[in-house]
Amino acid sequence: MMTVIHSKTQIQITSRPVRRRSGTRRQPETVRSMFGLNMGKKTVEKRLEKKQELLTSLQGLGRGLKASDEDKERINSLAKDLERINPTKNVLGPELSAKWKLEYTTSDSILGTKRPPFLRPFGDIFQTIRAEKLEARNQETWPFFNAVEATLEPVNSSKVNVKFDTFYIGSIIPIKAPDSARGGLTVTYLDDTLRISRGNKGNLFILSR
């Protein structure tokens, strides 16, 4: 109890001790767990683990040219695992714009499986996408440096129709593409260094930047 004196009036004020609630105080980690905020961290860890497993599986496969049926099945399964936890909602947005390097594909036409070995591309193959302009360019390097430019037409939030406009022999001689030179591509996974896409003919494409 304490006494406060104001002029000629004396007032007595009784102060009671503050009672603290019994029990253990919830720690920040416990609170975050209650609201499921730790699930994001676990998903990121799982995604990075699956991503590394996929990239490791691609080593020595020559972009898919040397892949056995067992290799293709395993890689397709790993790609599906990543597709289920795709971290990018707007896969056709600005994050898509980049010069992407082809790491793996099941496309026979790109791998040149029906061509003699000396006519297949030996060097890296790149795909440059300018999402804001709806343009794309596929570029072989050594030894032929062939290329093709295409226009993209969004179909939905992850799929585009592809219209090939001009082929380039040795990146120098332009050849207008026939109107029938069309395709489709769905971006199924996208992060800051890896992209997975699937073509309208069922082919799988895995690219890095």
Side-chain angles (χ1 to χ4, degrees):
M1 182 177 72
M2 65 180 178
T3 301
V4 177
I5 300 177
H6 183 268
S7 296
K8 297 181 180 180
T9 306
Q10 180 172 300
I11 303 173
Q12 289 184 337
I13 301 176
T14 302
S15 60
R16 297 179 180 178
V18 179
R19 294 183 178 179
R20 298 186 181 275
R21 293 182 179 180
S22 60
T24 304
R25 184 181 178 183
R26 290 194 180 100
Q27 298 298 315
E29 292 296 332
T30 304
V31 175
R32 286 198 292 267
S33 297
M34 287 175 60
F35 291 94
L37 299 180
N38 278 340
M39 292 179 63
K41 181 178 179 181
K42 292 180 180 179
T43 300
V44 170
E45 291 174 351
K46 178 182 178 182
R47 179 171 62 83
L48 294 177
E49 180 182 336
K50 288 292 183 181
K51 179 178 175 180
Q52 186 57 51
E53 187 177 354
L54 173 62
L55 293 174
T56 301
S57 297
L58 300 181
Q59 295 178 5
L61 296 184
R63 288 192 294 262
L65 188 63
K66 302 176 182 179
S68 64
D69 290 341
E70 184 179 347
D71 291 329
K72 294 177 182 178
E73 185 176 343
R74 183 178 66 258
I75 291 168
N76 186 54
S77 177
L78 290 170
K80 286 182 176 180
D81 288 341
L82 280 175
E83 290 167 339
R84 294 188 190 99
I85 49 178
N86 172 39
T88 306
K89 184 176 181 180
N90 183 18
V91 294
L92 300 184
E95 294 84 358
L96 183 61
S97 295
K99 184 177 182 180
W100 296 92
K101 176 184 174 183
L102 182 66
E103 301 289 353
Y104 174 87
T105 184
T106 56
S107 171
D108 289 332
S109 61
I110 292 178
L111 294 174
T113 57
K114 297 180 181 180
R115 286 180 273 171
F118 66 90
L119 291 179
R120 297 171 186 166
F122 301 140
D124 293 332
I125 298 176
F126 295 98
Q127 182 179 69
T128 301
I129 294 182
R130 295 177 287 274
E132 69 283 358
K133 295 184 177 181
L134 297 176
E135 297 174 347
R137 179 184 176 92
N138 295 346
Q139 175 75 61
E140 294 180 357
T141 55
W142 178 261
F144 305 111
F145 297 92
N146 296 326
V148 58
E149 292 182 345
T151 301
L152 309 177
E153 179 188 358
V155 176
N156 54 38
S157 60
S158 61
K159 181 180 179 180
V160 294
N161 287 331
V162 181
K163 181 182 180 300
F164 297 101
D165 299 318
T166 308
F167 294 97
Y168 291 89
I169 306 299
S171 295
I172 299 175
I173 304 173
I175 299 176
K176 182 176 175 57
D179 190 62
S180 59
R182 298 173 180 266
L185 195 69
T186 301
V187 180
T188 55
Y189 177 91
L190 178 67
D191 68 19
D192 56 343
T193 61
L194 187 71
R195 187 183 108 219
I196 301 175
S197 299
R198 294 185 183 268
N200 61 308
K201 296 182 179 180
N203 287 314
L204 174 63
F205 301 89
I206 300 175
L207 305 97
S208 67
R209 62 176 169 185

